[in-house]
Amino acid sequence: MILDLAQLENGFEATFRIPPDSPVLDGFDGEVDEPLDLDVLVRAANGHTFVVDAVLAGAVARPCRRCLAPVESEFRERFTIVFQMSGREEDTGDDDVILLEAGATRIDLTQAVRDHLFLETDLYPICRPECPGICPECGRNLNEGSCDCRPGPGASRWAALEALRDRVGQGI
């Protein structure tokens, strides 16, 4: 997703399709089965500053944090990024301003789009609020039915607090 700065004098509008095997998705731990859409409108604020208004939309699937079943979620995120040519090499600290090398002839949107994709999608989705998860003993998905496992000692999620309560009750 490269933009040629020579085409940006009067603005530029484009739609990019990001296929599931795109380098933009390298390192993304969710599953993307259909291409994502990126609509961009680029304006040249002056000869050294370019404003990119973008909309990133699509669907991703990540495992439920309780039962590991895939949870598909759709998203549509609007964001704005400012690219600025500068002779300076230090970072301004502003995540929405990306410095370009002096004399740059193009803008690469790849990293900015990747960052927004990673931030926009839910890292730990839950398939449904009442999801019981998986059995810690046998690994059975408890959404599919109960298992015959008996909780071992300390299996309760409240075991540490129960132990503390017992110790406090005994005067430690």
Side-chain angles (χ1 to χ4, degrees):
M1 293 177 294
I2 306 293
L3 302 175
D4 182 0
L5 292 177
Q7 295 177 344
L8 302 181
E9 272 185 30
N10 300 323
F12 179 78
E13 197 169 338
T15 298
F16 296 96
R17 303 271 299 166
I18 304 169
D21 61 348
S22 171
V24 172
L25 301 174
D26 286 350
F28 183 67
D29 65 349
E31 291 182 34
V32 178
D33 294 328
E34 299 291 325
L36 305 177
D37 293 322
L38 176 68
D39 296 322
V40 296
L41 172 62
V42 185
R43 297 171 282 133
N46 61 41
H48 302 290
T49 303
F50 303 91
V51 179
V52 178
D53 291 314
V55 177
L56 180 63
V60 299
R62 283 199 161 127
C64 172
R65 83 178 296 164
R66 294 181 185 165
C67 70
L68 303 178
V71 178
E72 186 167 305
S73 60
E74 292 186 12
F75 64 92
R76 181 175 182 82
E77 186 205 4
R78 293 180 181 278
F79 58 94
T80 300
I81 300 175
V82 176
F83 289 88
Q84 190 172 53
M85 268 194 239
S86 174
R88 299 177 299 158
E89 293 189 16
E90 73 271 2
D91 188 359
T92 63
D94 187 348
D95 291 338
D96 291 330
V97 175
I98 298 174
L99 294 178
L100 300 172
E101 292 180 23
T105 59
R106 61 189 198 140
I107 292 175
D108 186 353
L109 296 176
T110 303
Q111 186 63 44
V113 170
R114 179 183 300 131
D115 291 348
H116 283 278
L117 174 65
F118 281 48
L119 292 172
E120 178 60 24
T121 56
D122 189 1
L123 187 58
Y124 301 110
I126 297 175
C127 62
R128 61 180 212 260
E130 65 279 357
C131 175
I134 58 174
C135 173
E137 299 295 321
C138 69
R140 177 182 171 94
N141 184 343
L142 298 175
N143 288 305
E144 298 169 356
S146 61
C147 64
D148 295 329
C149 295
R150 299 196 189 277
S156 166
R157 73 171 81 176
W158 305 108
L161 288 176
E162 290 168 352
L164 180 62
R165 180 195 63 206
D166 294 343
R167 289 178 59 197
V168 168
Q170 297 173 0
I172 301 184

